[in-house]
């Protein structure tokens, strides 16, 4: 599996997947829907799947003396690696905004979503949707990815819209609390995001393995 993962990272991956990790730094931007950075990270992963298809990487992989489910596992591990690298940047930026930059008027006057544990939880939900909708959808055929990516785009931007809208409703302002205000609630919401990410990814992986086993390439 280690060698297969190396193959994914060195041969199959598009360089854009690595470059787009930096979009996690969009959590620094005030007055901008910061969750769009999550979408751009997944767009980078999409380019790796596109590159994989154009180079017949899937066919090459199944010709190796490995189980078909290992091909699926390698794709998921690579995708999760990129997602979590970018998520680590988001966490670092969020901590900076909650501490050192907590008194900055630039952020205190921000009408859009602040970098908070709730925002991190929403980021994980979007990553989970990508794994569930796009990667799971890709392995229905191991070739066609246009439809699942379009469905993912719709789901992702609906989620972004919900995240940006909720804190404007009366009684929900604590969702966008600044600094360490309502930190227990914020951490609870982050925990829910972690749970959603793990469940969607594992469910998608299981379904993808079952589907890929049935495909005759």
């Amino acid at each position: 599996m280690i060698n297969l993962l190396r193959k994914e990272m060195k041969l199959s991956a598009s360089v854009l997947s690595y470059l787009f990790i930096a979009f996690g730094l969009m959590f620094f931007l005030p007055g901008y829907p910061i969750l769009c950075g999550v979408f751009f990270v997944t767009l980078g992963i999409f380019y790796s799947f596109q590159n994989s298809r154009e180079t017949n990487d899937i066919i090459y992989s199944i010709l190796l003396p490995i189980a078909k489910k290992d091909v699926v596992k390698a794709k998921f591990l690579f995708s999760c690696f990129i997602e979590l690298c970018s998520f680590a940047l988001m966490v670092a930026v969020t901590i900076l905004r909650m501490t050192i930059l907590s008194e900055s008027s630039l952020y205190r006057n921000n009408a859009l979503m602040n970098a908070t544990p709730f925002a991190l939880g929403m980021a994980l939900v979007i990553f989970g949707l990508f794994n569930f909708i796009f990667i799971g959808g890709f392995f229905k055929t191991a070739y066609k990815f246009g439809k699942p990516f379009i469905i993912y785009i719709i789901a992702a931007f609906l989620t972004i819209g919900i995240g940006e809208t909720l804190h404007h409703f009366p009684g929900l302002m604590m969702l966008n609390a600044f600094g360490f205000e309502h930190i227990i609630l914020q951490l609870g919401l982050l925990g829910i995001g972690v749970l959603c990410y793990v469940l969607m990814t594992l469910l998608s992986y299981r379904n993808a393995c079952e589907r890929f086993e049935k495909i005759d390439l």
Side-chain angles (χ1 to χ4, degrees), residues 20-186:
F20 280 23
I21 289 174
F23 277 108
L25 296 174
M26 286 181 68
F27 266 51
F28 266 127
L29 300 180
Y32 190 88
I34 57 177
L35 290 177
C36 286
V38 183
F39 169 76
F40 289 125
V41 175
T42 59
L43 179 62
I45 301 172
F46 167 81
Y47 284 126
S48 284
F49 276 83
Q50 184 180 53
N51 183 67
S52 178
R53 186 188 71 170
E54 301 308 320
T55 58
N56 290 318
D57 175 71
I58 295 292
I59 295 177
Y60 167 75
S61 296
I62 63 174
L63 292 175
L64 298 173
I66 56 175
K68 290 180 75 174
K69 68 177 182 180
D70 288 338
V71 177
V72 178
K73 183 183 292 186
K75 292 292 184 187
F76 271 89
L77 287 176
F78 169 75
S79 299
C80 290
F81 170 75
I82 297 295
E83 291 164 357
L84 295 179
C85 282
S86 183
F87 184 72
L89 288 180
M90 297 174 195
V91 171
V93 172
T94 299
I95 292 173
L96 284 174
R97 285 185 59 169
M98 292 174 66
T99 54
I100 297 174
L101 301 175
S102 62
E103 298 303 320
S104 171
S105 60
L106 194 63
Y107 293 126
R108 284 209 171 264
N109 297 326
N110 179 33
L112 298 181
M113 177 181 279
N114 288 317
T116 63
F118 171 62
L120 293 174
M122 292 295 289
L124 287 174
V125 169
I126 296 172
F127 281 139
L129 287 171
F130 177 79
N131 296 343
F132 184 76
I133 298 173
F134 174 72
I135 302 181
F138 172 78
F139 279 105
K140 286 182 178 180
T141 62
Y143 185 78
K144 297 179 181 179
F145 52 61
K147 182 178 178 180
F149 192 64
I150 291 173
I151 295 173
Y152 160 69
I153 290 174
I154 295 171
F157 279 96
L158 281 175
T159 305
I160 292 171
I162 291 170
E164 289 287 352
T165 303
L166 281 177
H167 66 270
H168 292 290
F169 286 95
L172 296 179
M173 291 182 291
M174 72 284 294
L175 296 180
N176 206 37
F178 201 81
F180 289 91
E181 299 174 15
H182 303 286
I183 190 62
I184 301 301
L185 173 64
Q186 291 278 334

